[in-house]
């Protein structure tokens, strides 16, 4: 698999948390490792997900990409609704995992590549439901003349970490960054300063052809430096430490136009097919709108339209309200806004937050409308998921790490049928003074196995005898046999993988 080296941490290392409990609160204790699940039948490990439900939740699987800053690991992962692991993918620097539809079929898309603080250089991997890589979307540097803080190091692809949105037309929306010179004197910097430009691309998935490109720096009159909320500090004086303007973190396409989110500008931009800015919504100052106090937002992620007409737009976003350079005292919420396009006024429709365990997320996050009218929030640097019902009541919270030490860029819930091409994994050992046999079985990525059938592999070649069938119980099922056998085979019962057999496994001594 590509880009396995953890070149740098993708996210800023922030104050660490303590206490193994489902809480969003941080402490001043030293860094603590969130516990990992381990199994007998496979070497796979995965963060425990602690799920608490208050009412009925949306049916589906949870998709996250935990990046463990302390252990320096990252994987694409799928969990069941009860917090049980379903699939752990390859070890990669990962971001922007998202279950999507391509050509009418369910796929997984995620970024992997080389990580730097807050951005990266890599490509988008697209997997089918058998977890096969079917496409790899890249943005070669030799065609685009990218300049990076890592000069003269070159990368085989320059797609940034922040977006992997597939469109109905079979294209994908991605971000990129490029270091360039700019006059920073309007914000107190040098006249010959350096910035890290934010770019968006629409790329044809099958041909890797760039269909659309847009640069913030090339539209400085509509994307002004003065609207940035990021302190200049010592940045912007040289190529290796550019001012990070404007930090684009989400793109969505509507017709021939694009909605773009800029984190450090606390802004949303709607641009047409020619790259012209149709309107600019600044989350603090309004931009082209008058914004009501309750509708204000900043350092947001994952902005999407819910409805759109010429007269009115309803949009959603994950409103962080915090960064690593602000005091973490502003509540992070899911925010729904109403944009009156005729009068250019913005008001708040609804806010979602967990009053019992509030979140103050300093980076990352996502907002997803579910099919049953519920809303799912994932809080990025605060590794917590929240599901709210159609009335705004919290029906589920789930924790999978300590704040700022284990984090996922986004999180989603969706239906999924996993069809792994591998065989079930099995470990078997003797117990009870050798009079019993204990069998452990798992199948990474399988979603609908109903039961497991254990068969004895008799000494006669090719002869199998049924011993016991038990219902599947989570990622790994423990099966106790009241007999001693030398070799076993385990068979999947039910689901798309019905009848798939494990390899023959020799029973080892002493569980």
């Amino acid at each position: 698999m590509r880009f396995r080296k953890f070149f740098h941490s993708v996210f800023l290392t922030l104050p660490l948390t303590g206490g193994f409990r489902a809480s969003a609160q941080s402490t001043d204790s030293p860094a603590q490792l969130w516990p990992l699940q381990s199994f007998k039948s496979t070497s796979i490990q995965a963060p425990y997900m602690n799920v608490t439900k208050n009412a009925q939740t949306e049916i589906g699987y949870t998709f996250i990409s935990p990046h463990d800053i302390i252990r320096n690991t990252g994987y694409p992962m799928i969990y069941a609704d009860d917090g049980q692991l379903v699939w752990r993918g390859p070890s990669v620097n990962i971001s922007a995992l998202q279950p999507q539809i391509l050509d009418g079929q369910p796929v997984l898309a995620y970024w992997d590549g080389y990580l730097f603080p807050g951005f990266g250089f890599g490509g988008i991997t697209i997997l089918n439901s058998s977890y096969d890589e079917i496409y790899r979307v890249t943005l070669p540097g030799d065609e685009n003349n990218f300049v990076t803080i890592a000069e003269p190091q070159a990368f085989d692809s320059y797609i940034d970490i922040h977006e992997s949105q597939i469109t109905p037309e079979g294209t994908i929306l991605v971000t990129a960054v490029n270091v360039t010179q700019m006059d920073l004197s309007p914000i107190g910097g040098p006249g010959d300063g350096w910035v890290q430009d934010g770019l968006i691309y629409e790329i044809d998935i099958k041909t890797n052809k760039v269909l659309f490109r847009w640069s913030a720096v090339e539209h400085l009159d509509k994307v002004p430096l003065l609207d940035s909320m990021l302190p200049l500090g010592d940045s912007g004086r040289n190529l290796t430490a550019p001012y990070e303007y404007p930090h684009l973190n989400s793109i969505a396409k509507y017709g021939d136009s694009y909605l773009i989110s800029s984190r450090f500008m606390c802004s949303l931009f709607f641009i047409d097919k020619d790259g012209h800015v149709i309107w600019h919504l600044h989350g603090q100052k309004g931009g082209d709108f008058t914004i009501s106090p309750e509708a204000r937002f900043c350092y947001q992620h994952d902005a999407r339209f819910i409805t759109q007409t010429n007269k009115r737009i309803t949009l959603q976003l994950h409103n962080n309200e915090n960064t690593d350079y602000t005091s973490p005292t502003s509540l992070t919420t899911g925010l729904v806004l109403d944009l009156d396009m005729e009068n250019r006024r913005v008001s708040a429709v609804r806010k979602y937050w967990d009053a019992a365990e509030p979140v103050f997320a300093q980076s990352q996050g996502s907002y997803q409308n579910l099919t049953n009218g519920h809303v799912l929030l994932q809080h990025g640097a605060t590794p917590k998921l929240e599901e709210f019902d159609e009335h705004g009541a919290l029906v589920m919270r789930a924790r999978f790490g300590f704040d700022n030490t284990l984090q996922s860029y986004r999180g989603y819930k969706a239906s999924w049928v996993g069809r792994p091409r591998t065989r079930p994994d099995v470990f078997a050992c003797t117990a009870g003074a050798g009079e019993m046999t204990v069998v452990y079985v798992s199948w990474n990525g399988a979603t609908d196995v109903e039961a497991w059938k254990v068969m004895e592999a008799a000494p006669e070649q090719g002869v199998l005898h049924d011993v016991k069938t038990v219902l599947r119980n989570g990622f790994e099922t423990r099966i106790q046999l009241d007999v001693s056998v030398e070799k076993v085979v385990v068979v999947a019962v039910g689901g798309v993988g019905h009848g798939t057999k494990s390899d023959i496994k020799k029973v080892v001594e002493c569980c």
Side-chain angles (χ1 to χ4, degrees):
M1 194 65 176
R2 306 168 185 79
F3 307 127
R4 295 205 177 189
K5 180 181 178 185
F6 279 77
F7 188 75
H8 282 290
S9 170
V10 61
F11 307 113
L12 298 175
T13 303
L14 303 170
L16 308 180
T17 67
F20 181 54
R21 62 188 187 278
S23 170
Q25 304 304 313
S26 301
T27 74
D28 295 327
S29 61
Q32 296 185 30
L33 293 174
W34 183 264
L36 299 180
Q37 305 174 65
S38 59
F39 307 95
K40 293 280 191 178
S41 59
T42 176
S43 61
I44 283 175
Q45 292 184 310
Y48 279 99
M49 180 175 285
N50 297 338
V51 178
T52 302
K53 293 186 180 183
N54 305 316
Q56 182 64 44
T57 59
E58 166 84 331
I59 297 172
Y61 295 94
T62 299
F63 298 76
I64 57 173
S65 52
H67 172 72
D68 192 322
I69 292 176
I70 301 175
R71 295 185 176 96
N72 209 24
T73 59
Y75 308 91
M77 290 187 179
I78 304 174
Y79 285 82
D81 193 46
D82 60 0
Q84 290 282 340
L85 180 67
V86 172
W87 176 69
R88 196 206 74 178
S91 174
V92 290
N93 295 325
I94 185 168
S95 184
L97 171 68
Q98 188 171 350
Q100 301 185 73
I101 299 295
L102 176 63
D103 295 333
Q105 298 298 316
V107 297
L108 298 177
Y110 61 84
W111 177 96
D112 61 281
Y114 288 89
L115 297 172
F116 291 77
F119 59 97
F121 306 104
I124 305 296
T125 295
I126 300 177
L127 308 181
N128 61 18
S129 59
S130 295
Y131 310 101
D132 303 320
E133 181 181 309
I134 55 174
Y135 296 106
R136 174 74 175 174
V137 182
T138 60
L139 194 58
D142 55 359
E143 301 174 9
N144 297 277
N145 300 315
F146 287 104
V147 177
T148 78
I149 67 168
E151 295 293 321
Q153 181 173 357
F155 306 94
D156 64 350
S157 178
Y158 287 78
I159 293 176
D160 181 36
I161 65 174
H162 286 101
E163 190 59 89
S164 62
Q165 184 72 42
I166 295 174
T167 73
E169 293 75 37
T171 64
I172 192 165
L173 307 175
V174 299
T175 60
V177 296
N178 182 61
V179 178
T180 187
Q181 287 203 274
M182 178 186 288
D183 180 6
L184 295 179
S185 58
I187 56 173
D192 57 349
W194 294 84
V195 297
Q196 183 159 270
D197 187 13
L199 303 99
I200 71 167
Y201 289 84
E202 182 174 5
I203 302 174
D204 184 271
I205 291 172
K206 295 176 182 177
T207 66
N208 218 52
K209 180 181 178 181
V210 173
L211 304 177
F212 181 81
R213 173 193 173 278
W214 185 86
S215 155
V217 166
E218 293 171 7
H219 296 83
L220 191 59
D221 59 327
K222 295 293 186 179
V223 191
L225 273 173
L226 289 172
D227 278 347
S228 178
M229 306 294 285
L230 176 68
L232 179 63
D234 294 328
S235 68
R237 302 181 186 278
N238 54 61
L239 182 150
T240 58
Y243 182 62
E244 195 175 354
Y245 159 87
H247 194 107
L248 306 180
N249 61 19
S250 74
I251 320 163
K253 187 177 183 182
Y254 302 96
D256 291 329
S257 301
Y258 303 84
L259 177 67
I260 307 170
S261 169
S262 167
R263 178 190 179 201
F264 289 146
M265 295 185 72
C266 301
S267 291
L268 305 180
F269 298 93
F270 196 51
I271 65 173
D272 66 20
K273 63 180 180 179
D274 297 315
H276 301 130
V277 176
I278 301 171
W279 53 256
H280 167 209
L281 170 59
H282 193 287
Q284 298 295 299
K285 298 182 289 186
D288 295 330
F289 297 83
T290 300
I291 187 168
S292 63
E294 70 276 6
R296 289 175 183 160
F297 61 88
C298 209
Y299 311 117
Q300 75 289 338
H301 289 77
D302 200 21
R304 314 285 174 187
F305 289 168
I306 301 174
T307 61
Q308 178 193 15
T309 67
N310 291 333
K311 295 183 178 180
R312 192 170 298 275
I313 294 172
T314 305
L315 64 81
Q316 65 192 42
L317 54 85
H318 181 270
N319 184 25
N320 293 73
E321 281 284 356
N322 301 279
T323 71
D324 60 294
Y325 58 82
T326 60
S327 299
T329 56
S330 297
L331 183 68
T332 296
T333 64
L335 180 60
V336 179
L337 299 177
D338 176 79
L339 279 61
D340 180 345
M341 302 307 295
E342 291 185 311
N343 298 301
R344 293 292 171 125
R345 296 184 179 277
V346 179
S347 58
V349 177
R350 175 167 283 181
K351 292 184 180 182
Y352 297 91
W353 74 93
D354 182 352
E357 296 178 9
V359 170
F360 306 90
Q362 294 180 328
S363 66
Q364 311 150 78
S366 57
Y367 180 120
Q368 181 190 13
N369 280 315
L370 303 177
T371 58
N372 64 350
H374 288 198
V375 167
L376 183 75
L377 301 182
Q378 197 283 135
H379 293 299
T382 297
K384 182 188 179 194
L385 294 138
E386 299 164 347
E387 184 176 336
F388 301 86
D389 69 14
E390 64 274 22
H391 305 296
L394 181 76
V395 295
M396 183 276 293
R397 64 170 67 95
R399 263 273 179 178
F400 54 93
F402 294 122
D403 288 8
N404 305 315
T405 67
L406 199 157
Q407 45 202 340
S408 179
Y409 178 60
R410 291 176 180 169
Y412 297 92
K413 181 178 278 193
S415 59
W416 182 257
V417 178
R419 308 168 186 269
R421 299 192 191 279
T422 58
R423 294 175 180 267
D425 294 305
V426 173
F427 174 77
C429 53
T430 61
E435 297 177 356
M436 296 184 297
T437 304
V438 179
V439 178
Y440 297 85
V441 58
S442 62
W443 197 2
N444 189 32
T447 54
D448 56 359
V449 174
E450 298 172 6
W452 296 108
K453 181 194 294 184
V454 180
M455 307 184 77
E456 179 184 6
E460 309 94 271
Q461 186 175 4
V463 178
L464 299 174
H465 303 291
D466 291 0
V467 179
K468 190 174 186 178
T469 299
V470 301
L471 294 177
R472 180 186 185 182
N473 184 18
F475 181 80
E476 181 178 74
T477 301
R478 182 183 185 275
I479 306 167
Q480 182 170 307
L481 310 179
D482 295 329
V483 295
S484 176
V485 297
E486 294 183 6
K487 297 179 181 179
V488 296
V489 170
V490 182
V491 184
V493 179
V496 296
H498 178 76
T500 303
K501 297 183 177 67
S502 72
D503 293 330
I504 296 175
K505 289 292 180 179
K506 184 177 180 180
V507 178
V508 301
E509 294 183 359
C510 302
C511 289

